[in-house]
Amino acid sequence: MSATTTASVSLRHLRSFPCVIPSLFSFSSLPLHSPRLCVFLRRNFRPRQLFLHRPHAASFSSSPGATSDSNYDVIVVGAGHAGCEAALASARLGASTLLLTLNLDRIAWQPCNPAVGGPAKSQLVHEVDALGGDIGKVADRCYLQKRILNVSRGPAVRSLRAQTDKREYAMEMKKIVESTENLYIREAMVTDILVGKNDNVEGVATFFGMNFYAPSVILTTGTFMSGKIWVGKKSMPAGRAGESASQGLTENLQKLGFETDRLKTGTPARVDRRTIDFSTLEAQHGDEEVSWFSFDPDFHIEREQMCCYLTRTTKLTHQLIRENLHETPTYGGWVEAKGPRYCPSIEDKIVRFKDKESHQIFLEPEGRDVPEIYVQGFSTGLPENLQLPLLRSLPGLENCSMLRPAYAVEYDYLPAHQCSRSLMTKKIEGLFFSGQINGTTGYEEAAAQGIISGINAARHSDGKKHVVLERESSYIGTLIDDLVTKDLREPYRMLTSRSEHRLLLRFDNADSRLTPLGRELGLIDDRRWKLYQEKQARISEEKTRLKTVKISGGDLAAEVSNVSSQPVKESATLESLLKKPHVHYKLLEKHGFGNETLSRMEKDCVEIDIKYEGFIVRQQNQLQQMVHQQHRRLPDDLDYYSMTTLSHEGREKLSKVRPQTLGQASRVGGVSPADITALLITLESNRRRSQDVKRGKILEHALAESNQHSAEEEHMVNE
Amino acid sequence: MVILHSFRSVGVHLLRQATPIITRSGRNSKPISKNLFFLFFSSSPKTFLLKPRAASSEKNSLVFKGDERVVGLLGKVDDAFDNVDRFQSSSTIVAIVTPIGGPPGAVGIVRLSGPKAVEVAGRVFRSARKRRKKKSNDSDSDLDLDSWRPTSHFVEYGVVVDSNGNVVDEVLVVPMLAPRSYTREDVVELQCHGSEVCLRRVLRTCVEAGARLAEPGEFTLRAFLNGRLDLSQAENIERLISAKSSAAADAALEGIQGGFSSLVKSLRAQCIELLTEIEARIDFEDEMPPLDIDLVINKINSMSEGVESALDTANYDKLLRSGLQIAIVGRPNVGKSSLLNAWSKSERAIVTEVAGTTRDVVEANVTVRGVPITLLDTAGIRETNDIVEKIGVERSETAAKVADVIIMAVSAIEGWTEEDTELLHKIQSDKPMILVMNKIDSATSDCCDQLKDKSKKEEVFHKSVFTSAVTGQGIEELEDAILEILGLDRVPTGGHQWTVNQRQCEQLVRTKEALVRLREAIEDEIPIDFWTIELREAALALAQISGQDVSEEVLSSIFAKFCIGK
């Protein structure tokens, strides 16, 4: 019965009933005319009986049926932070997804700093979570220490940072990936992209000669594509220390016409916790009241926190470095790829800031049951034999032993102007890039791109429109807009100052900005959606209550006027009290005017909405005004070179970037406001021309018709 | 169970197909619940495919969801959002559209166009009808401004007032609401008196009320982009635009030379520097020494002062119209009246040897570098029992109060006396003061030296000049001193540079507003992140470049200045 109902609904949705379809329909013999149809058929063609053999989802990674299958809806190459989010989002949208990785034991590995969050990055994590992603949940589950940064600097820059247990993190993420329906994982080194006749992706080829097919492929190659690691003058091909690089893919991408370039990044040494004397070091404790990345209260499970420690470079450190500068890749001159400005090596710091006598170094634990300590701020390109003496010049580390040396890694990336904002490449339909391959750095940046490319890859395979987050909507949108629009010369890290509207892109409203979208896309389940709606309802009720409840005099009024040194009116609303400087929701609670049923997060939301209402509304209004013009779409086929009114630089840059909206065009480097005006004029002229042509055709048609009529009439008369 | 599940997934699928992703904030949750309802009770699921869409996977859905929580806060929701393909200008522009520079016409027109044209006009315009009605209730006047609801194509009579409520000009207002206007946007035309000064003051008032100065040809450009004018006219516009870029280049070139623009540049640099200091702390919290808040506040204060004084300099047009009043005060018989006569080259004031000859305020007009100046000769200030003289002395003190500049005259023959000190205390104010040491022709050098020392010691005097009313010596220096005090010595007088200054003036007005808000934020002890909003706005106002450029500049500056990186 169910089968007949569905059949009448739409063929597209047949896959909800895997057991019946293949037997019911047998149009596999139909000729394949268009790629669209091809996609459609392939999916239905696939033996869906697999589902029958799988009593529950958790077992399917070991299911023998899955590995023999080579047709999927989406293939994700790489299982780092971008790859995992991409694969999870895609699978949850119903696309059968294959996740290929070089090493199954390194899923969601944290090869550098075992931490998640920080300014701007934490907003990314909240946003991914609001869309139903997992980075926040896993970080909440595996934290070693949590701290809120920028506590008193304003709600928009307040951010959460967590030290995480890197092994636990990888294990947790692996568990999630393994237990997600529609998601298959497999070890493989992808060496080529299979491309169809219409410049559309058809699948991937692996080193050992396997082909996997899918209409959407996401590449998240991280530092692995032609990766090369350096310690001093010694180098070897590797994606990370101890893991082989991925060879051959770069060349094949170049053959497809992609432009590639090289970036460099590095990671400091790890030392043995048991050999450090912490007694002299300043300890950094976590917050007593723990905050969370995820908006899902099911993941808010408190655990014991660990300490970080602070040490400093000494005169000896500086002397050692200055004496051995020629031994470092940058100053020795044998590595040219550019490293990030915000992650300078210790030698960079000492050379560039000669006047600074000492630099802060943070010692951070990498896990609960591993002895490794991450030496934050001490990455170096010096040879291994110099690294230990250098580490031992730091107070507390005089007798330390080094577990892993610091190293730098060079890798291929593809300047992201080759992607559109859906993260699909402009050259090959169905091919998506995410993470470090787009020139970013950081787990959070990777996860943010991952979830977007995962969503779009799944939608692409399903013949649906791609989803693009506008710049003003989120840090994710800002990140992707920057990547595909700007000419980036160093690994891109998210910073709060990159957003022009950061007051509107806060941690506390990430859910109210993006969860409705996540719901619409199908990434937010009923339980989560109910939680979200209830939360919003509570917040808005509480705001109404504060607006209506008035107090006159009393202890609260006295304390408010004392704390804020502003007079309190006779009969003031609670809202007006909360707006005063230094008055927080806690104060209302203290005097019994709070609402105990609200969570701390909800109270924060209420307080922020009320306290900064003026600023928020002003920014929102500015945004609304601007958005009209900025979001105006540009046709894909504009010939910028023929627009003689554009400046030469403007023509060149616009042809290269091919922006999707007017706003994006205006952000392309080298495009002046005059260019934008000229562009507007051309668009309007084109519109009128096409309108004239249309009108002409209608007229012609009408004329022809009337002629025909008259001819017919004539004919009749003649008869 | 299986059936139910499949129903749900089908529903969601169809929904995704049917609901365009570009939904405005606030609307998103509704269609879902509504459609789900339909799903279970509708026999033919196809009925709720509201907008069947051609399957075009290349076209992206752009998502700009606002914040669901904020929706309630926003007063008006603009429904035109879905229609992103239409041209929608974000700014409201203003310009004088009648020719200026020639002999003044009887009527000149200032035109506003853009989404906020009515709002801006409402802020500057007081209808004659309304004024009578609302005179009693001053405190509500703010509410009053926003609620100006003009009838399209209906002329109203009234006045233009500035932000302080001073009447600027008497005008006729012609509102032409969209789309029945030249630009197809809301247009408001203010028909003013034809003199250039009048028009410029009205223009400036509009700028202060939130409009932006129009670029050359911008009204026509908007008319074209909004579907007016035919295609052949478009080429003319293109020519205009290229003219605009070359004009911009000219302006930039001029800007480089002007002292005024170097001030704008230095102000902008200061904004960026402050942003750097603050943003570095925000993005790299634990790596930076704490911010020296006092230092930041001091810098902001000095910037505000810089902007204010620059704006005063830009007030040239105001000076041109209303001119300056300069009061000459001093003890009796120090030669105030002779000075007035010598300066105005007239015998306007009666001059005798008798102390206290001048009993009333005597006016005379002179012009200094085009600025009309009214000189007020006053009765010598002293203790007196003569009723007439007493009134005269009171009037002298009043004159000193209303004047823009005070000249305190002393006799170089007698040097600085006790009475002079007393008098100085009486008239002292924050107005610019000039010490004039008159009768230099017959003074001894001792006295002169004593006076010189005195004038140096007394910091209230901005300038001191030796004059002789008899020989006319020092009058020119006096004029220079006045120009210098008012900052007019730096104001270029050439006609072309006017426009440049007008633009810079607009930038300064915006900067000033941002800085005023910034100081309010500091006073209200708002967290420093909010300071950056205003600083950014100031930096943007000071150079008409896009926001990202500021971000990039701040970032480069952070990395150049601070040792960042864990």
Side-chain angles (χ1 to χ4, degrees), chain A residues 384-453:
Chain A
E384 192 169 349
N385 63 338
L386 286 169
Q387 288 191 17
L388 190 60
L390 203 60
L391 284 167
R392 287 187 170 167
S393 71
L394 302 175
L397 276 72
E398 292 89 349
N399 300 307
C400 77
S401 65
M402 184 167 77
L403 293 170
R404 303 168 193 253
Y407 68 89
V409 58
E410 260 190 304
Y411 54 96
D412 285 334
Y413 81 106
L414 286 90
H417 64 78
Q418 300 172 96
C419 289
S420 67
R421 291 187 295 169
S422 61
L423 292 178
M424 187 168 87
T425 59
K426 294 171 184 167
K427 282 213 167 66
I428 308 291
E429 199 195 315
L431 181 62
F432 294 80
F433 291 160
S434 272
Q436 276 169 308
I437 191 172
N438 280 336
T440 60
T441 149
Y443 316 136
E444 303 83 353
E445 287 85 347
Q449 294 169 67
I451 194 164
I452 296 299
S453 64

Side-chain angles (χ1 to χ4, degrees), chain A residues 13 17 150 153 349 352 377 466 468 470 496 500 502 508-509 512 532 582 609 618 660 667 688, chain B residues 6 13 60-61 63 67-69 81 85 224 228-229 279 282-283 525 529 534 548 559 565-566:
Chain A
H13 306 293
F17 308 92
N150 287 332
R153 297 199 170 129
K349 290 188 197 178
R352 287 186 49 222
H466 295 171
V468 169
E470 281 289 356
T496 64
E500 303 77 35
R502 70 174 174 217
D508 65 279
N509 71 352
S512 52
Y532 167 78
H582 302 301
D609 281 356
R618 183 154 68 95
Q660 287 166 291
R667 289 187 288 273
R688 298 225 189 148
Chain B
S6 57
H13 262 293
N60 293 294
S61 304
V63 178
D67 179 353
E68 277 211 324
R69 249 162 59 204
F81 183 81
D85 279 349
F224 173 74
R228 278 221 190 282
L229 315 180
E279 302 262 4
I282 286 170
D283 272 326
E525 301 180 50
D529 178 32
E534 314 297 356
Q548 281 86 48
F559 295 128
K566 294 174 89 179

Side-chain angles (χ1 to χ4, degrees), chain A residues 198-419:
Chain A
N198 300 311
D199 276 349
N200 60 309
V201 87
E202 288 194 333
V204 295
T206 69
F207 185 80
F208 293 120
M210 284 292 291
N211 283 359
F212 297 100
Y213 299 99
S216 300
V217 170
I218 305 172
L219 291 188
T220 69
T221 54
T223 57
F224 280 78
M225 216 159 55
S226 310
K228 192 178 192 184
I229 62 171
W230 289 87
V231 177
K233 264 186 185 162
K234 292 274 186 189
S235 73
M236 66 190 273
R240 296 189 284 242
E243 293 178 70
S244 67
S246 153
Q247 305 290 1
L249 189 53
T250 311
E251 289 73 17
N252 285 320
L253 284 170
Q254 283 168 344
K255 270 184 213 151
L256 291 174
F258 286 105
E259 173 193 340
T260 66
D261 207 344
R262 241 164 139 65
L263 283 175
K264 186 196 96 178
T265 184
T267 190
R270 311 297 199 276
V271 292
D272 193 328
R273 186 198 331 226
R274 295 161 298 188
T275 59
I276 300 175
D277 176 15
F278 291 109
S279 62
T280 58
L281 300 179
E282 185 189 323
Q284 271 192 324
H285 298 276
D287 288 343
E288 275 182 28
E289 207 176 359
V290 178
S291 307
W292 307 97
F293 287 113
S294 178
F295 291 103
D296 189 340
D298 281 11
F299 293 85
H300 299 180
I301 302 160
E302 283 203 42
R303 32 165 47 204
E304 199 190 324
Q305 298 198 50
M306 291 178 78
C307 248
C308 294
Y309 294 89
L310 191 62
T311 182
R312 312 193 123 265
T313 56
T314 56
K315 271 194 182 130
L316 181 62
T317 325
H318 291 224
Q319 188 196 335
L320 268 170
I321 285 172
R322 269 195 295 267
E323 281 168 7
N324 294 292
L325 265 185
H326 57 280
E327 302 265 16
T328 66
T330 320
Y331 295 94
W334 61 87
V335 170
E336 274 175 30
K338 235 186 140 172
R341 282 180 295 180
Y342 38 80
C343 244
S345 59
I346 188 70
E347 52 264 23
D348 268 354
K349 290 188 197 178
I350 285 165
V351 170
R352 287 186 49 222
F353 298 94
K354 287 196 185 78
D355 304 338
K356 237 183 143 182
E357 281 177 12
S358 175
H359 297 267
Q360 281 183 328
I361 304 295
F362 297 84
L363 302 176
E364 299 171 350
E366 292 214 301
R368 286 180 198 277
D369 43 16
V370 287
E372 283 150 271
I373 291 282
Y374 181 92
V375 188
Q376 168 92 274
F378 210 62
S379 75
T380 177
L382 282 170
E384 192 169 349
N385 63 338
L386 286 169
Q387 288 191 17
L388 190 60
L390 203 60
L391 284 167
R392 287 187 170 167
S393 71
L394 302 175
L397 276 72
E398 292 89 349
N399 300 307
C400 77
S401 65
M402 184 167 77
L403 293 170
R404 303 168 193 253
Y407 68 89
V409 58
E410 260 190 304
Y411 54 96
D412 285 334
Y413 81 106
L414 286 90
H417 64 78
Q418 300 172 96
C419 289

Side-chain angles (χ1 to χ4, degrees), chain A residues 400-687:
Chain A
C400 77
S401 65
M402 184 167 77
L403 293 170
R404 303 168 193 253
Y407 68 89
V409 58
E410 260 190 304
Y411 54 96
D412 285 334
Y413 81 106
L414 286 90
H417 64 78
Q418 300 172 96
C419 289
S420 67
R421 291 187 295 169
S422 61
L423 292 178
M424 187 168 87
T425 59
K426 294 171 184 167
K427 282 213 167 66
I428 308 291
E429 199 195 315
L431 181 62
F432 294 80
F433 291 160
S434 272
Q436 276 169 308
I437 191 172
N438 280 336
T440 60
T441 149
Y443 316 136
E444 303 83 353
E445 287 85 347
Q449 294 169 67
I451 194 164
I452 296 299
S453 64
I455 290 169
N456 282 329
R459 290 175 71 87
H460 182 76
S461 295
D462 210 7
K464 286 178 184 152
K465 284 168 145 263
H466 295 171
V467 172
V468 169
L469 287 180
E470 281 289 356
R471 185 178 184 88
E472 308 79 27
S473 70
S474 53
Y475 274 96
I476 301 179
T478 310
L479 165 76
I480 295 175
D481 187 80
D482 274 350
L483 286 182
V484 304
T485 312
K486 290 184 174 169
D487 194 13
L488 301 169
R489 298 265 170 229
E490 65 174 341
Y492 182 98
R493 168 174 162 184
M494 202 63 220
L495 297 162
T496 64
S497 39
R498 294 201 198 265
S499 166
E500 303 77 35
H501 306 284
R502 70 174 174 217
L503 182 57
L504 303 177
L505 309 182
R506 304 182 308 271
F507 72 103
D508 65 279
N509 71 352
D511 58 344
S512 52
R513 284 184 282 123
L514 294 173
T515 299
L517 173 69
R519 174 69 176 174
E520 216 174 306
L521 294 171
L523 289 170
I524 299 293
D525 61 17
D526 290 345
R527 180 189 67 89
R528 182 82 182 265
W529 182 240
K530 191 161 162 266
L531 283 173
Y532 167 78
Q533 285 182 313
E534 283 167 359
K535 176 183 167 191
Q536 300 307 317
R538 277 196 298 274
I539 291 171
S540 97
E541 269 164 37
E542 177 64 0
K543 284 198 284 190
T544 319
R545 185 183 73 88
L546 294 179
K547 265 195 181 73
T548 44
V549 173
K550 289 183 179 181
I551 60 151
S552 44
D555 290 349
L556 177 59
E559 188 162 356
V560 166
S561 68
N562 188 25
V563 166
S564 67
S565 42
Q566 281 184 4
V568 175
K569 271 191 210 162
E570 196 61 34
S571 168
T573 59
L574 292 176
E575 184 190 38
S576 71
L577 298 183
L578 198 52
K579 276 183 190 283
K580 293 189 185 296
H582 302 301
V583 178
H584 297 285
Y585 194 89
K586 276 190 181 142
L587 192 68
L588 302 186
E589 280 184 309
K590 185 179 153 194
H591 292 272
F593 288 94
N595 181 348
E596 279 165 21
T597 60
L598 296 186
S599 70
R600 185 163 54 93
M601 187 67 194
E602 287 156 2
K603 289 171 196 163
D604 277 348
C605 292
V606 168
E607 184 180 321
I608 290 166
D609 281 356
I610 288 178
K611 223 174 173 52
Y612 306 111
E613 183 181 343
F615 285 92
I616 292 170
V617 169
R618 183 154 68 95
Q619 287 243 314
Q620 197 88 25
N621 284 336
Q622 279 174 359
L623 198 63
Q624 290 286 333
Q625 273 182 34
M626 189 202 75
V627 148
H628 285 298
Q629 203 172 339
Q630 295 265 304
H631 291 190
R632 195 169 175 212
R633 249 172 260 185
L634 298 176
D636 293 334
D637 53 353
L638 277 181
D639 179 9
Y640 293 103
Y641 280 113
S642 72
M643 297 183 197
T644 48
T645 42
L646 289 182
S647 67
H648 278 285
E649 196 184 1
R651 273 179 251 178
E652 222 161 82
K653 294 280 166 65
L654 287 171
S655 303
K656 188 176 169 190
V657 175
R658 303 208 73 77
Q660 287 166 291
T661 62
L662 200 65
Q664 203 195 340
S666 67
R667 289 187 288 273
V668 174
V671 174
S672 69
D675 286 338
I676 295 300
T677 313
L679 191 57
L680 270 173
I681 292 171
T682 315
L683 287 179
E684 176 66 12
S685 304
N686 289 351
R687 190 185 67 82

